[in-house]
Amino acid sequence: MQQRELTCAAIHDLSGFGKCSLTVALPVLSACGVEVSALPTAVLSTHTGGFAGYIYRDLTPELLPMAKHWESVGARFKALYSGFLGSGEQIGMVEEIFEMFREPESLILVDPVMGDGGKLYSTYTQEMADGMVRLCRRADVVAPNMTEACHILGLPYDPGPYTREGLESLLRALCGLGPRQAVLTGAWLQKGELGAACFDRETGEMRLSLRPEIPGYFHGTGDLFSSTLLGGLLNGMTLYEACDTAVEFTHRTIVTTAQSGGDTRFGPKFETHLPWLAQLMEEKRKSRK
Ligand code: PXL
């Protein structure tokens, strides 16, 4: 049987400098053998994490017309992947876009990008963050960090340490909103380790994937993680395989970023690790044929 082409629509902002969102999703998914189309929610000179005076152009009025134009030219996607949104209004629009392109076999991954370290990003209003729960209900897979998961579930932020039972209960609650699979980033049980926990509603199984923690705050790694997770799922990996691959890839890039000693606001140094990722994904594709 001929495999369907791996195609994805990535609905995120385009931050020109300081790698994150689309400047991460496009190369990572391409390396995974996925054809990605970009629907920018906003255009920024830099991301909002630690840069003052950034230029911000919200693309809310353009979002639906761009999606409708795609529809008119026959665009079809195996996956729909949303991340950082430019305004509260965009939540309803992204729901509409999901419906426009949803097919029986399609995979909707929502990374409810809205904050980190217990705080919302500066462009996110409370209303926007509250609306994000609606988008999560429409997803097959959600991949929040701890800040986002607590916000979505209406819980106070928990900085950790976490327990297996605590992580599982958060993941079950996320799946209770609608998704069949949930992945939680920023998971750890003991100091010195960091990774992600994943849960599949069908199997009822929670698994953890941990690596040694590299001290520091590394911008753009959430986008790197989610894009790799999606690439893995599209290539036929199980949820745990995709999650573990995403943790490993993110860990490798953080090691390189930390070793470079550069400004971590500029984004993760993932480029030299793309061949490793591409090979892994190709092997997975071949093993499925
Ligand atoms: O990496 C998440 C992200 C995406 N897009 C923009 C951001 C951030 C985090 O700060 O500012 C514009």
Side-chain angles (χ1 to χ4, degrees), residues 241-287:
E241 265 183 294
C243 177
D244 191 55
T245 302
V247 169
E248 177 64 24
F249 182 60
T250 308
H251 176 72
R252 288 180 183 221
T253 69
I254 291 176
V255 169
T256 303
T257 311
Q259 279 171 352
S260 78
D263 188 332
T264 58
R265 293 176 306 169
F266 294 4
K269 295 197 175 290
F270 63 84
E271 294 80 359
T272 54
H273 298 286
L274 287 176
W276 172 84
L277 184 67
Q279 193 182 346
L280 202 74
M281 294 289 171
E282 194 186 354
E283 280 163 15
K284 190 69 204 177
R285 275 196 303 282
K286 280 192 187 144
S287 75

mmCIF file of all heavy atoms in Angstrom, residues 241-287:
data_model
loop_
_atom_site.group_PDB
_atom_site.id
_atom_site.type_symbol
_atom_site.label_atom_id
_atom_site.label_comp_id
_atom_site.label_asym_id
_atom_site.label_seq_id
_atom_site.Cartn_x
_atom_site.Cartn_y
_atom_site.Cartn_z
ATOM 1 N N GLU A 241 7.863 6.299 22.012
ATOM 2 C CA GLU A 241 9.038 6.416 21.129
ATOM 3 C C GLU A 241 9.228 7.867 20.665
ATOM 4 O O GLU A 241 10.339 8.396 20.670
ATOM 5 C CB GLU A 241 8.818 5.584 19.867
ATOM 6 C CG GLU A 241 9.373 4.189 19.859
ATOM 7 C CD GLU A 241 9.110 3.568 18.491
ATOM 8 O OE1 GLU A 241 7.926 3.348 18.148
ATOM 9 O OE2 GLU A 241 10.069 3.325 17.777
ATOM 10 N N ALA A 242 8.103 8.488 20.256
ATOM 11 C CA ALA A 242 8.165 9.870 19.754
ATOM 12 C C ALA A 242 8.569 10.816 20.884
ATOM 13 O O ALA A 242 9.378 11.735 20.696
ATOM 14 C CB ALA A 242 6.821 10.277 19.162
ATOM 15 N N CYS A 243 8.028 10.572 22.077
ATOM 16 C CA CYS A 243 8.328 11.422 23.231
ATOM 17 C C CYS A 243 9.807 11.270 23.615
ATOM 18 O O CYS A 243 10.505 12.266 23.847
ATOM 19 C CB CYS A 243 7.393 11.022 24.373
ATOM 20 S SG CYS A 243 7.696 11.915 25.889
ATOM 21 N N ASP A 244 10.277 10.048 23.634
ATOM 22 C CA ASP A 244 11.663 9.812 24.018
ATOM 23 C C ASP A 244 12.634 10.386 22.971
ATOM 24 O O ASP A 244 13.677 10.947 23.319
ATOM 25 C CB ASP A 244 11.899 8.305 24.211
ATOM 26 C CG ASP A 244 13.237 8.031 24.864
ATOM 27 O OD1 ASP A 244 13.483 8.587 25.958
ATOM 28 O OD2 ASP A 244 14.061 7.293 24.277
ATOM 29 N N THR A 245 12.265 10.284 21.701
ATOM 30 C CA THR A 245 13.092 10.865 20.631
ATOM 31 C C THR A 245 13.132 12.385 20.793
ATOM 32 O O THR A 245 14.188 13.010 20.653
ATOM 33 C CB THR A 245 12.514 10.495 19.244
ATOM 34 O OG1 THR A 245 12.462 9.079 19.152
ATOM 35 C CG2 THR A 245 13.350 11.070 18.113
ATOM 36 N N ALA A 246 11.978 12.980 21.120
ATOM 37 C CA ALA A 246 11.910 14.435 21.287
ATOM 38 C C ALA A 246 12.736 14.867 22.502
ATOM 39 O O ALA A 246 13.425 15.894 22.461
ATOM 40 C CB ALA A 246 10.460 14.884 21.415
ATOM 41 N N VAL A 247 12.693 14.084 23.572
ATOM 42 C CA VAL A 247 13.496 14.411 24.763
ATOM 43 C C VAL A 247 14.984 14.308 24.409
ATOM 44 O O VAL A 247 15.777 15.189 24.752
ATOM 45 C CB VAL A 247 13.136 13.474 25.951
ATOM 46 C CG1 VAL A 247 14.137 13.635 27.086
ATOM 47 C CG2 VAL A 247 11.739 13.775 26.463
ATOM 48 N N GLU A 248 15.350 13.253 23.686
ATOM 49 C CA GLU A 248 16.765 13.050 23.332
ATOM 50 C C GLU A 248 17.270 14.176 22.415
ATOM 51 O O GLU A 248 18.346 14.742 22.641
ATOM 52 C CB GLU A 248 16.924 11.676 22.656
ATOM 53 C CG GLU A 248 18.334 11.352 22.165
ATOM 54 C CD GLU A 248 19.377 11.238 23.281
ATOM 55 O OE1 GLU A 248 19.005 10.951 24.433
ATOM 56 O OE2 GLU A 248 20.577 11.465 22.972
ATOM 57 N N PHE A 249 16.479 14.505 21.402
ATOM 58 C CA PHE A 249 16.886 15.562 20.456
ATOM 59 C C PHE A 249 17.009 16.905 21.190
ATOM 60 O O PHE A 249 17.985 17.643 21.010
ATOM 61 C CB PHE A 249 15.860 15.650 19.319
ATOM 62 C CG PHE A 249 16.199 16.670 18.264
ATOM 63 C CD1 PHE A 249 17.375 16.575 17.531
ATOM 64 C CD2 PHE A 249 15.347 17.731 18.001
ATOM 65 C CE1 PHE A 249 17.694 17.521 16.552
ATOM 66 C CE2 PHE A 249 15.657 18.678 17.026
ATOM 67 C CZ PHE A 249 16.831 18.566 16.308
ATOM 68 N N THR A 250 16.044 17.189 22.037
ATOM 69 C CA THR A 250 16.066 18.453 22.782
ATOM 70 C C THR A 250 17.282 18.467 23.710
ATOM 71 O O THR A 250 17.995 19.476 23.799
ATOM 72 C CB THR A 250 14.751 18.634 23.570
ATOM 73 O OG1 THR A 250 13.659 18.460 22.678
ATOM 74 C CG2 THR A 250 14.651 19.999 24.214
ATOM 75 N N HIS A 251 17.526 17.354 24.373
ATOM 76 C CA HIS A 251 18.671 17.272 25.282
ATOM 77 C C HIS A 251 19.986 17.515 24.528
ATOM 78 O O HIS A 251 20.832 18.301 24.980
ATOM 79 C CB HIS A 251 18.695 15.902 25.973
ATOM 80 C CG HIS A 251 19.892 15.693 26.840
ATOM 81 N ND1 HIS A 251 20.057 16.338 28.048
ATOM 82 C CD2 HIS A 251 21.011 14.944 26.653
ATOM 83 C CE1 HIS A 251 21.215 15.983 28.570
ATOM 84 N NE2 HIS A 251 21.814 15.141 27.752
ATOM 85 N N ARG A 252 20.136 16.852 23.369
ATOM 86 C CA ARG A 252 21.377 17.036 22.582
ATOM 87 C C ARG A 252 21.581 18.502 22.207
ATOM 88 O O ARG A 252 22.692 19.021 22.259
ATOM 89 C CB ARG A 252 21.325 16.190 21.305
ATOM 90 C CG ARG A 252 21.476 14.716 21.580
ATOM 91 C CD ARG A 252 21.419 13.907 20.294
ATOM 92 N NE ARG A 252 21.499 12.498 20.616
ATOM 93 C CZ ARG A 252 22.205 11.594 19.934
ATOM 94 N NH1 ARG A 252 22.870 11.938 18.846
ATOM 95 N NH2 ARG A 252 22.235 10.341 20.310
ATOM 96 N N THR A 253 20.501 19.160 21.798
ATOM 97 C CA THR A 253 20.662 20.561 21.371
ATOM 98 C C THR A 253 20.957 21.465 22.571
ATOM 99 O O THR A 253 21.696 22.437 22.438
ATOM 100 C CB THR A 253 19.418 21.092 20.628
ATOM 101 O OG1 THR A 253 18.355 21.217 21.547
ATOM 102 C CG2 THR A 253 19.001 20.213 19.495
ATOM 103 N N ILE A 254 20.396 21.117 23.728
ATOM 104 C CA ILE A 254 20.672 21.931 24.917
ATOM 105 C C ILE A 254 22.141 21.780 25.315
ATOM 106 O O ILE A 254 22.799 22.764 25.681
ATOM 107 C CB ILE A 254 19.713 21.571 26.082
ATOM 108 C CG1 ILE A 254 18.282 22.035 25.744
ATOM 109 C CG2 ILE A 254 20.164 22.206 27.401
ATOM 110 C CD1 ILE A 254 17.225 21.654 26.762
ATOM 111 N N VAL A 255 22.669 20.568 25.211
ATOM 112 C CA VAL A 255 24.091 20.356 25.520
ATOM 113 C C VAL A 255 24.939 21.249 24.610
ATOM 114 O O VAL A 255 25.823 21.985 25.067
ATOM 115 C CB VAL A 255 24.486 18.862 25.362
ATOM 116 C CG1 VAL A 255 26.000 18.684 25.425
ATOM 117 C CG2 VAL A 255 23.796 18.006 26.433
ATOM 118 N N THR A 256 24.642 21.234 23.311
ATOM 119 C CA THR A 256 25.402 22.045 22.349
ATOM 120 C C THR A 256 25.237 23.535 22.648
ATOM 121 O O THR A 256 26.209 24.300 22.592
ATOM 122 C CB THR A 256 24.935 21.728 20.907
ATOM 123 O OG1 THR A 256 25.111 20.334 20.696
ATOM 124 C CG2 THR A 256 25.709 22.514 19.861
ATOM 125 N N THR A 257 24.016 23.939 22.944
ATOM 126 C CA THR A 257 23.744 25.356 23.228
ATOM 127 C C THR A 257 24.519 25.794 24.472
ATOM 128 O O THR A 257 25.157 26.865 24.474
ATOM 129 C CB THR A 257 22.232 25.589 23.443
ATOM 130 O OG1 THR A 257 21.518 24.976 22.371
ATOM 131 C CG2 THR A 257 21.891 27.066 23.496
ATOM 132 N N ALA A 258 24.471 24.966 25.517
ATOM 133 C CA ALA A 258 25.171 25.315 26.760
ATOM 134 C C ALA A 258 26.679 25.352 26.538
ATOM 135 O O ALA A 258 27.364 26.266 27.011
ATOM 136 C CB ALA A 258 24.813 24.316 27.852
ATOM 137 N N GLN A 259 27.196 24.378 25.769
ATOM 138 C CA GLN A 259 28.654 24.333 25.518
ATOM 139 C C GLN A 259 29.142 25.534 24.719
ATOM 140 O O GLN A 259 30.272 25.963 24.874
ATOM 141 C CB GLN A 259 29.021 23.041 24.760
ATOM 142 C CG GLN A 259 29.145 21.841 25.686
ATOM 143 C CD GLN A 259 29.300 20.534 24.921
ATOM 144 O OE1 GLN A 259 29.170 20.503 23.697
ATOM 145 N NE2 GLN A 259 29.550 19.465 25.660
ATOM 146 N N SER A 260 28.254 26.081 23.869
ATOM 147 C CA SER A 260 28.676 27.205 23.021
ATOM 148 C C SER A 260 28.901 28.460 23.870
ATOM 149 O O SER A 260 29.611 29.378 23.443
ATOM 150 C CB SER A 260 27.614 27.492 21.961
ATOM 151 O OG SER A 260 26.541 28.219 22.546
ATOM 152 N N GLY A 261 28.251 28.497 25.027
ATOM 153 C CA GLY A 261 28.413 29.650 25.916
ATOM 154 C C GLY A 261 27.773 30.919 25.385
ATOM 155 O O GLY A 261 28.003 32.001 25.925
ATOM 156 N N GLY A 262 26.948 30.810 24.345
ATOM 157 C CA GLY A 262 26.310 32.000 23.753
ATOM 158 C C GLY A 262 25.076 32.425 24.533
ATOM 159 O O GLY A 262 24.734 31.841 25.558
ATOM 160 N N ASP A 263 24.433 33.458 24.028
ATOM 161 C CA ASP A 263 23.224 34.008 24.639
ATOM 162 C C ASP A 263 22.061 33.041 24.368
ATOM 163 O O ASP A 263 21.699 32.822 23.208
ATOM 164 C CB ASP A 263 22.955 35.386 24.001
ATOM 165 C CG ASP A 263 21.839 36.142 24.700
ATOM 166 O OD1 ASP A 263 20.944 35.494 25.270
ATOM 167 O OD2 ASP A 263 21.884 37.383 24.663
ATOM 168 N N THR A 264 21.480 32.473 25.408
ATOM 169 C CA THR A 264 20.449 31.447 25.200
ATOM 170 C C THR A 264 19.141 32.043 24.678
ATOM 171 O O THR A 264 18.285 31.306 24.193
ATOM 172 C CB THR A 264 20.180 30.642 26.493
ATOM 173 O OG1 THR A 264 19.778 31.557 27.522
ATOM 174 C CG2 THR A 264 21.399 29.872 26.943
ATOM 175 N N ARG A 265 18.999 33.368 24.731
ATOM 176 C CA ARG A 265 17.799 33.976 24.141
ATOM 177 C C ARG A 265 17.803 33.806 22.619
ATOM 178 O O ARG A 265 16.773 33.920 21.971
ATOM 179 C CB ARG A 265 17.740 35.487 24.440
ATOM 180 C CG ARG A 265 17.541 35.839 25.890
ATOM 181 C CD ARG A 265 17.592 37.331 26.067
ATOM 182 N NE ARG A 265 18.817 37.889 25.502
ATOM 183 C CZ ARG A 265 19.052 39.193 25.314
ATOM 184 N NH1 ARG A 265 18.146 40.080 25.661
ATOM 185 N NH2 ARG A 265 20.192 39.613 24.799
ATOM 186 N N PHE A 266 18.996 33.589 22.048
ATOM 187 C CA PHE A 266 19.106 33.490 20.586
ATOM 188 C C PHE A 266 18.552 32.170 20.046
ATOM 189 O O PHE A 266 18.463 31.975 18.846
ATOM 190 C CB PHE A 266 20.555 33.690 20.122
ATOM 191 C CG PHE A 266 21.103 35.087 20.377
ATOM 192 C CD1 PHE A 266 20.356 36.044 21.048
ATOM 193 C CD2 PHE A 266 22.365 35.437 19.928
ATOM 194 C CE1 PHE A 266 20.862 37.333 21.294
ATOM 195 C CE2 PHE A 266 22.879 36.720 20.153
ATOM 196 C CZ PHE A 266 22.128 37.666 20.835
ATOM 197 N N GLY A 267 18.235 31.261 20.943
ATOM 198 C CA GLY A 267 17.588 30.017 20.521
ATOM 199 C C GLY A 267 18.502 28.809 20.603
ATOM 200 O O GLY A 267 19.719 28.940 20.724
ATOM 201 N N PRO A 268 17.884 27.615 20.514
ATOM 202 C CA PRO A 268 18.672 26.385 20.653
ATOM 203 C C PRO A 268 19.521 26.098 19.410
ATOM 204 O O PRO A 268 19.084 26.351 18.292
ATOM 205 C CB PRO A 268 17.593 25.310 20.826
ATOM 206 C CG PRO A 268 16.374 25.869 20.180
ATOM 207 C CD PRO A 268 16.454 27.364 20.311
ATOM 208 N N LYS A 269 20.725 25.589 19.644
ATOM 209 C CA LYS A 269 21.631 25.262 18.528
ATOM 210 C C LYS A 269 21.359 23.823 18.087
ATOM 211 O O LYS A 269 22.067 22.890 18.477
ATOM 212 C CB LYS A 269 23.081 25.450 18.972
ATOM 213 C CG LYS A 269 23.405 26.904 19.281
ATOM 214 C CD LYS A 269 24.893 27.139 19.311
ATOM 215 C CE LYS A 269 25.220 28.597 19.503
ATOM 216 N NZ LYS A 269 24.895 29.441 18.356
ATOM 217 N N PHE A 270 20.302 23.681 17.289
ATOM 218 C CA PHE A 270 19.850 22.347 16.900
ATOM 219 C C PHE A 270 20.364 21.880 15.547
ATOM 220 O O PHE A 270 20.301 20.710 15.199
ATOM 221 C CB PHE A 270 18.311 22.308 16.889
ATOM 222 C CG PHE A 270 17.685 23.244 15.875
ATOM 223 C CD1 PHE A 270 17.529 22.862 14.555
ATOM 224 C CD2 PHE A 270 17.264 24.519 16.244
ATOM 225 C CE1 PHE A 270 16.964 23.729 13.622
ATOM 226 C CE2 PHE A 270 16.689 25.380 15.316
ATOM 227 C CZ PHE A 270 16.545 24.983 14.005
ATOM 228 N N GLU A 271 20.893 22.823 14.740
ATOM 229 C CA GLU A 271 21.142 22.535 13.320
ATOM 230 C C GLU A 271 22.049 21.326 13.088
ATOM 231 O O GLU A 271 21.767 20.489 12.231
ATOM 232 C CB GLU A 271 21.738 23.771 12.620
ATOM 233 C CG GLU A 271 20.786 24.961 12.551
ATOM 234 C CD GLU A 271 20.688 25.789 13.842
ATOM 235 O OE1 GLU A 271 21.356 25.444 14.844
ATOM 236 O OE2 GLU A 271 19.935 26.773 13.862
ATOM 237 N N THR A 272 23.130 21.223 13.858
ATOM 238 C CA THR A 272 24.079 20.128 13.613
ATOM 239 C C THR A 272 23.501 18.775 14.052
ATOM 240 O O THR A 272 24.075 17.736 13.738
ATOM 241 C CB THR A 272 25.413 20.374 14.353
ATOM 242 O OG1 THR A 272 25.110 20.590 15.744
ATOM 243 C CG2 THR A 272 26.148 21.591 13.801
ATOM 244 N N HIS A 273 22.382 18.802 14.763
ATOM 245 C CA HIS A 273 21.756 17.545 15.200
ATOM 246 C C HIS A 273 20.653 17.085 14.243
ATOM 247 O O HIS A 273 20.091 16.010 14.422
ATOM 248 C CB HIS A 273 21.194 17.701 16.615
ATOM 249 C CG HIS A 273 22.255 17.999 17.621
ATOM 250 N ND1 HIS A 273 23.145 17.043 18.066
ATOM 251 C CD2 HIS A 273 22.625 19.154 18.221
ATOM 252 C CE1 HIS A 273 23.989 17.601 18.917
ATOM 253 N NE2 HIS A 273 23.698 18.887 19.019
ATOM 254 N N LEU A 274 20.356 17.909 13.223
ATOM 255 C CA LEU A 274 19.286 17.537 12.299
ATOM 256 C C LEU A 274 19.598 16.256 11.513
ATOM 257 O O LEU A 274 18.701 15.426 11.315
ATOM 258 C CB LEU A 274 18.960 18.692 11.340
ATOM 259 C CG LEU A 274 18.211 19.884 11.965
ATOM 260 C CD1 LEU A 274 18.036 20.999 10.938
ATOM 261 C CD2 LEU A 274 16.845 19.477 12.512
ATOM 262 N N PRO A 275 20.864 16.050 11.069
ATOM 263 C CA PRO A 275 21.143 14.799 10.333
ATOM 264 C C PRO A 275 20.853 13.550 11.179
ATOM 265 O O PRO A 275 20.314 12.567 10.676
ATOM 266 C CB PRO A 275 22.636 14.916 9.988
ATOM 267 C CG PRO A 275 22.892 16.394 9.964
ATOM 268 C CD PRO A 275 22.018 16.971 11.036
ATOM 269 N N TRP A 276 21.172 13.614 12.464
ATOM 270 C CA TRP A 276 20.876 12.494 13.373
ATOM 271 C C TRP A 276 19.369 12.215 13.394
ATOM 272 O O TRP A 276 18.910 11.084 13.270
ATOM 273 C CB TRP A 276 21.385 12.834 14.781
ATOM 274 C CG TRP A 276 20.959 11.852 15.826
ATOM 275 C CD1 TRP A 276 21.571 10.678 16.128
ATOM 276 C CD2 TRP A 276 19.808 11.954 16.684
ATOM 277 N NE1 TRP A 276 20.868 10.032 17.133
ATOM 278 C CE2 TRP A 276 19.785 10.795 17.486
ATOM 279 C CE3 TRP A 276 18.792 12.905 16.860
ATOM 280 C CZ2 TRP A 276 18.797 10.560 18.446
ATOM 281 C CZ3 TRP A 276 17.805 12.667 17.811
ATOM 282 C CH2 TRP A 276 17.818 11.505 18.587
ATOM 283 N N LEU A 277 18.603 13.298 13.527
ATOM 284 C CA LEU A 277 17.141 13.170 13.595
ATOM 285 C C LEU A 277 16.586 12.637 12.273
ATOM 286 O O LEU A 277 15.728 11.740 12.255
ATOM 287 C CB LEU A 277 16.528 14.539 13.919
ATOM 288 C CG LEU A 277 15.024 14.562 14.125
ATOM 289 C CD1 LEU A 277 14.640 13.802 15.398
ATOM 290 C CD2 LEU A 277 14.499 15.999 14.217
ATOM 291 N N ALA A 278 17.108 13.184 11.170
ATOM 292 C CA ALA A 278 16.617 12.783 9.845
ATOM 293 C C ALA A 278 16.855 11.286 9.624
ATOM 294 O O ALA A 278 15.988 10.575 9.102
ATOM 295 C CB ALA A 278 17.308 13.603 8.770
ATOM 296 N N GLN A 279 18.012 10.809 10.053
ATOM 297 C CA GLN A 279 18.343 9.390 9.854
ATOM 298 C C GLN A 279 17.419 8.489 10.677
ATOM 299 O O GLN A 279 16.915 7.475 10.197
ATOM 300 C CB GLN A 279 19.807 9.147 10.222
ATOM 301 C CG GLN A 279 20.257 7.781 9.736
ATOM 302 C CD GLN A 279 21.690 7.481 10.116
ATOM 303 O OE1 GLN A 279 22.435 8.375 10.509
ATOM 304 N NE2 GLN A 279 22.071 6.232 10.014
ATOM 305 N N LEU A 280 17.198 8.896 11.903
ATOM 306 C CA LEU A 280 16.315 8.125 12.795
ATOM 307 C C LEU A 280 14.908 8.023 12.192
ATOM 308 O O LEU A 280 14.288 6.952 12.181
ATOM 309 C CB LEU A 280 16.252 8.866 14.135
ATOM 310 C CG LEU A 280 15.868 8.095 15.355
ATOM 311 C CD1 LEU A 280 17.040 7.211 15.769
ATOM 312 C CD2 LEU A 280 15.543 9.065 16.489
ATOM 313 N N MET A 281 14.421 9.131 11.682
ATOM 314 C CA MET A 281 13.065 9.163 11.118
ATOM 315 C C MET A 281 13.003 8.330 9.829
ATOM 316 O O MET A 281 12.018 7.643 9.567
ATOM 317 C CB MET A 281 12.628 10.605 10.836
ATOM 318 C CG MET A 281 12.477 11.450 12.086
ATOM 319 S SD MET A 281 11.039 10.956 13.078
ATOM 320 C CE MET A 281 11.317 11.933 14.557
ATOM 321 N N GLU A 282 14.067 8.401 9.040
ATOM 322 C CA GLU A 282 14.092 7.633 7.798
ATOM 323 C C GLU A 282 14.076 6.135 8.098
ATOM 324 O O GLU A 282 13.354 5.363 7.461
ATOM 325 C CB GLU A 282 15.326 8.012 6.969
ATOM 326 C CG GLU A 282 15.202 7.512 5.551
ATOM 327 C CD GLU A 282 16.452 7.732 4.734
ATOM 328 O OE1 GLU A 282 17.395 8.386 5.227
ATOM 329 O OE2 GLU A 282 16.492 7.217 3.601
ATOM 330 N N GLU A 283 14.865 5.752 9.102
ATOM 331 C CA GLU A 283 14.883 4.334 9.502
ATOM 332 C C GLU A 283 13.498 3.899 9.938
ATOM 333 O O GLU A 283 13.045 2.804 9.616
ATOM 334 C CB GLU A 283 15.899 4.109 10.639
ATOM 335 C CG GLU A 283 17.320 4.006 10.124
ATOM 336 C CD GLU A 283 18.360 4.200 11.214
ATOM 337 O OE1 GLU A 283 18.006 4.137 12.407
ATOM 338 O OE2 GLU A 283 19.534 4.445 10.860
ATOM 339 N N LYS A 284 12.819 4.759 10.644
ATOM 340 C CA LYS A 284 11.464 4.422 11.117
ATOM 341 C C LYS A 284 10.512 4.249 9.929
ATOM 342 O O LYS A 284 9.730 3.301 9.890
ATOM 343 C CB LYS A 284 10.973 5.549 12.051
ATOM 344 C CG LYS A 284 9.714 5.228 12.786
ATOM 345 C CD LYS A 284 9.935 4.150 13.817
ATOM 346 C CE LYS A 284 8.651 3.425 14.135
ATOM 347 N NZ LYS A 284 8.853 2.330 15.083
ATOM 348 N N ARG A 285 10.613 5.182 8.977
ATOM 349 C CA ARG A 285 9.742 5.086 7.787
ATOM 350 C C ARG A 285 9.986 3.796 7.022
ATOM 351 O O ARG A 285 9.073 3.111 6.611
ATOM 352 C CB ARG A 285 9.997 6.268 6.846
ATOM 353 C CG ARG A 285 9.221 7.516 7.172
ATOM 354 C CD ARG A 285 9.200 8.501 6.028
ATOM 355 N NE ARG A 285 10.507 8.910 5.576
ATOM 356 C CZ ARG A 285 11.291 9.807 6.182
ATOM 357 N NH1 ARG A 285 10.884 10.387 7.288
ATOM 358 N NH2 ARG A 285 12.478 10.118 5.686
ATOM 359 N N LYS A 286 11.297 3.465 6.862
ATOM 360 C CA LYS A 286 11.649 2.255 6.091
ATOM 361 C C LYS A 286 11.130 1.006 6.802
ATOM 362 O O LYS A 286 10.663 0.084 6.160
ATOM 363 C CB LYS A 286 13.173 2.170 5.935
ATOM 364 C CG LYS A 286 13.698 3.060 4.840
ATOM 365 C CD LYS A 286 15.140 2.712 4.538
ATOM 366 C CE LYS A 286 15.752 3.681 3.570
ATOM 367 N NZ LYS A 286 17.180 3.925 3.894
ATOM 368 N N SER A 287 11.224 0.999 8.121
ATOM 369 C CA SER A 287 10.820 -0.195 8.878
ATOM 370 C C SER A 287 9.312 -0.418 8.801
ATOM 371 O O SER A 287 8.820 -1.508 9.082
ATOM 372 C CB SER A 287 11.265 -0.084 10.333
ATOM 373 O OG SER A 287 10.428 0.834 11.012
#
